[in-house]
Amino acid sequence: MFNKTQELLRIIKDNKRVDTTKISLNNAIILGNDTAAKKVIIFTDPDCPFSGQLHKTIKNIAIKRKDIAFYIKFFPLSIHKDAYWKAKSIVCNKSLQMLEDNFYKKAISKTECKTEEIDNTIRLAQSIGVSVTPTLILHDGRVVEGALPEVDLINLIDRSK
Protein backbone atom coordinates (compact mmCIF):
# COMPACT_ATOMS: atom_id res chain seq x y z
CA MET A 1 0.00 0.00 0.00
CA PHE A 2 1.31 3.43 -0.97
CA ASN A 3 1.88 5.73 1.99
CA LYS A 4 1.45 9.37 0.92
CA THR A 5 2.92 10.72 4.17
CA GLN A 6 6.12 8.70 3.76
CA GLU A 7 6.41 9.77 0.13
CA LEU A 8 5.91 13.43 1.07
CA LEU A 9 8.56 13.16 3.80
CA ARG A 10 10.97 11.58 1.30
CA ILE A 11 10.39 14.43 -1.16
CA ILE A 12 10.93 17.06 1.55
CA LYS A 13 14.11 15.31 2.70
CA ASP A 14 15.41 15.02 -0.90
CA ASN A 15 14.86 18.74 -1.39
CA LYS A 16 16.59 19.83 1.82
CA ARG A 17 19.84 21.62 1.05
CA VAL A 18 22.62 23.03 3.21
CA ASP A 19 24.86 25.89 2.13
CA THR A 20 28.18 24.03 2.05
CA THR A 21 30.13 27.31 2.07
CA LYS A 22 29.12 27.65 5.74
CA ILE A 23 31.02 24.46 6.60
CA SER A 24 34.73 24.98 7.17
CA LEU A 25 36.79 22.06 5.93
CA ASN A 26 40.09 23.37 7.31
CA ASN A 27 40.30 20.89 10.19
CA ALA A 28 38.41 18.01 8.59
CA ILE A 29 40.05 14.63 8.25
CA ILE A 30 40.21 13.85 4.53
CA LEU A 31 39.65 10.40 3.08
CA GLY A 32 40.47 10.40 -0.60
CA ASN A 33 42.08 12.88 -2.95
CA ASP A 34 41.87 16.42 -1.55
CA THR A 35 41.79 17.81 -5.12
CA ALA A 36 38.79 15.65 -6.07
CA ALA A 37 35.99 17.45 -7.91
CA LYS A 38 33.27 15.92 -5.73
CA LYS A 39 33.49 16.67 -2.02
CA VAL A 40 31.24 14.94 0.51
CA ILE A 41 31.13 16.15 4.10
CA ILE A 42 30.42 13.53 6.75
CA PHE A 43 29.40 14.21 10.33
CA THR A 44 30.50 11.15 12.23
CA ASP A 45 30.70 9.80 15.76
CA PRO A 46 33.65 7.54 16.59
CA ASP A 47 31.41 5.28 18.72
CA CYS A 48 28.45 5.10 16.34
CA PRO A 49 28.22 1.64 14.74
CA PHE A 50 26.49 3.11 11.68
CA SER A 51 29.30 5.64 11.28
CA GLY A 52 31.77 2.75 11.42
CA GLN A 53 29.80 0.90 8.78
CA LEU A 54 29.71 3.97 6.53
CA HIS A 55 33.44 4.52 7.05
CA LYS A 56 34.22 1.13 5.55
CA THR A 57 32.03 2.00 2.57
CA ILE A 58 33.63 5.40 1.94
CA LYS A 59 37.10 3.89 2.26
CA ASN A 60 36.24 1.48 -0.56
CA ILE A 61 34.83 4.33 -2.65
CA ALA A 62 37.94 6.48 -2.11
CA ILE A 63 40.13 3.64 -3.36
CA LYS A 64 38.06 3.21 -6.54
CA ARG A 65 37.07 6.80 -7.28
CA LYS A 66 39.78 9.48 -7.33
CA ASP A 67 37.14 12.12 -8.20
CA ILE A 68 35.47 11.81 -4.76
CA ALA A 69 36.86 13.02 -1.44
CA PHE A 70 35.24 12.64 1.96
CA TYR A 71 35.71 15.37 4.57
CA ILE A 72 35.12 13.96 8.02
CA LYS A 73 33.81 16.23 10.78
CA PHE A 74 33.26 14.93 14.29
CA PHE A 75 29.82 15.12 15.87
CA PRO A 76 30.06 12.94 18.99
CA LEU A 77 26.63 12.09 20.31
CA SER A 78 26.00 12.45 24.04
CA ILE A 79 24.66 8.87 24.20
CA HIS A 80 28.20 7.61 23.52
CA LYS A 81 30.15 8.40 26.69
CA ASP A 82 33.64 8.04 25.16
CA ALA A 83 32.89 9.59 21.78
CA TYR A 84 33.87 13.16 22.71
CA TRP A 85 37.37 12.35 23.97
CA LYS A 86 37.95 9.97 21.06
CA ALA A 87 36.90 12.61 18.55
CA LYS A 88 39.12 15.19 20.23
CA SER A 89 42.08 12.81 20.28
CA ILE A 90 41.66 12.04 16.58
CA VAL A 91 41.41 15.75 15.72
CA CYS A 92 44.39 16.64 17.93
CA ASN A 93 46.48 14.08 16.06
CA LYS A 94 44.90 14.83 12.66
CA SER A 95 44.85 11.06 12.28
CA LEU A 96 42.69 9.12 9.85
CA GLN A 97 44.52 6.03 11.11
CA MET A 98 43.30 6.60 14.67
CA LEU A 99 39.73 6.88 13.41
CA GLU A 100 40.09 3.68 11.41
CA ASP A 101 41.70 1.87 14.35
CA ASN A 102 38.80 2.98 16.51
CA PHE A 103 36.20 1.77 13.99
CA TYR A 104 38.04 -1.58 13.85
CA LYS A 105 37.74 -1.83 17.66
CA LYS A 106 41.41 -1.15 18.34
CA ALA A 107 42.23 0.98 21.36
CA ILE A 108 43.31 4.55 20.68
CA SER A 109 45.23 6.75 23.06
CA LYS A 110 43.64 9.70 24.77
CA THR A 111 45.33 12.89 23.63
CA GLU A 112 44.90 16.30 25.16
CA CYS A 113 45.33 19.44 23.11
CA LYS A 114 43.79 22.86 23.01
CA THR A 115 41.15 22.77 20.29
CA GLU A 116 37.61 23.99 19.95
CA GLU A 117 37.07 22.02 16.75
CA ILE A 118 34.71 19.45 18.27
CA ASP A 119 32.58 22.03 20.09
CA ASN A 120 32.48 24.23 16.97
CA THR A 121 31.41 21.26 14.84
CA ILE A 122 28.67 20.34 17.31
CA ARG A 123 27.32 23.91 17.17
CA LEU A 124 27.58 23.97 13.38
CA ALA A 125 25.83 20.60 13.03
CA GLN A 126 22.98 21.73 15.24
CA SER A 127 22.64 25.03 13.35
CA ILE A 128 22.22 23.25 10.00
CA GLY A 129 19.87 20.60 11.35
CA VAL A 130 22.23 17.65 11.75
CA SER A 131 21.08 15.52 14.67
CA VAL A 132 22.17 11.96 13.84
CA THR A 133 25.30 10.17 12.75
CA PRO A 134 26.36 9.54 10.20
CA THR A 135 25.03 12.49 8.21
CA LEU A 136 26.42 13.27 4.78
CA ILE A 137 26.29 16.59 2.99
CA LEU A 138 26.70 16.03 -0.74
CA HIS A 139 28.50 18.59 -2.86
CA ASP A 140 25.14 20.01 -4.01
CA GLY A 141 24.16 20.56 -0.35
CA ARG A 142 21.73 17.65 -0.17
CA VAL A 143 21.57 16.02 3.27
CA VAL A 144 21.60 12.23 3.59
CA GLU A 145 21.30 10.48 6.94
CA GLY A 146 22.58 7.01 7.77
CA ALA A 147 24.91 4.43 6.34
CA LEU A 148 24.22 3.51 2.74
CA PRO A 149 25.39 0.63 0.57
CA GLU A 150 28.29 1.57 -1.71
CA VAL A 151 26.27 1.47 -4.94
CA ASP A 152 23.53 3.69 -3.52
CA LEU A 153 26.02 6.22 -2.15
CA ILE A 154 27.94 6.42 -5.43
CA ASN A 155 24.68 6.91 -7.31
CA LEU A 156 23.69 9.77 -4.98
CA ILE A 157 27.09 11.43 -5.31
CA ASP A 158 27.10 11.09 -9.10
CA ARG A 159 23.54 12.48 -9.35
CA SER A 160 24.26 15.55 -7.24
CA LYS A 161 25.01 18.66 -9.28
Side-chain angles (χ1 to χ4, degrees), residues 115-135:
T115 181
E116 294 183 20
E117 178 64 20
I118 306 303
D119 295 325
N120 290 341
T121 299
I122 291 169
R123 283 191 292 276
L124 167 69
Q126 292 169 339
S127 75
I128 61 174
V130 172
S131 60
V132 300
T133 58
T135 294

Side-chain angles (χ1 to χ4, degrees), residues 78-91:
S78 59
I79 61 170
H80 299 134
K81 69 179 180 76
D82 293 325
Y84 186 89
W85 75 257
K86 287 179 181 180
K88 188 172 180 182
S89 295
I90 294 164
V91 166

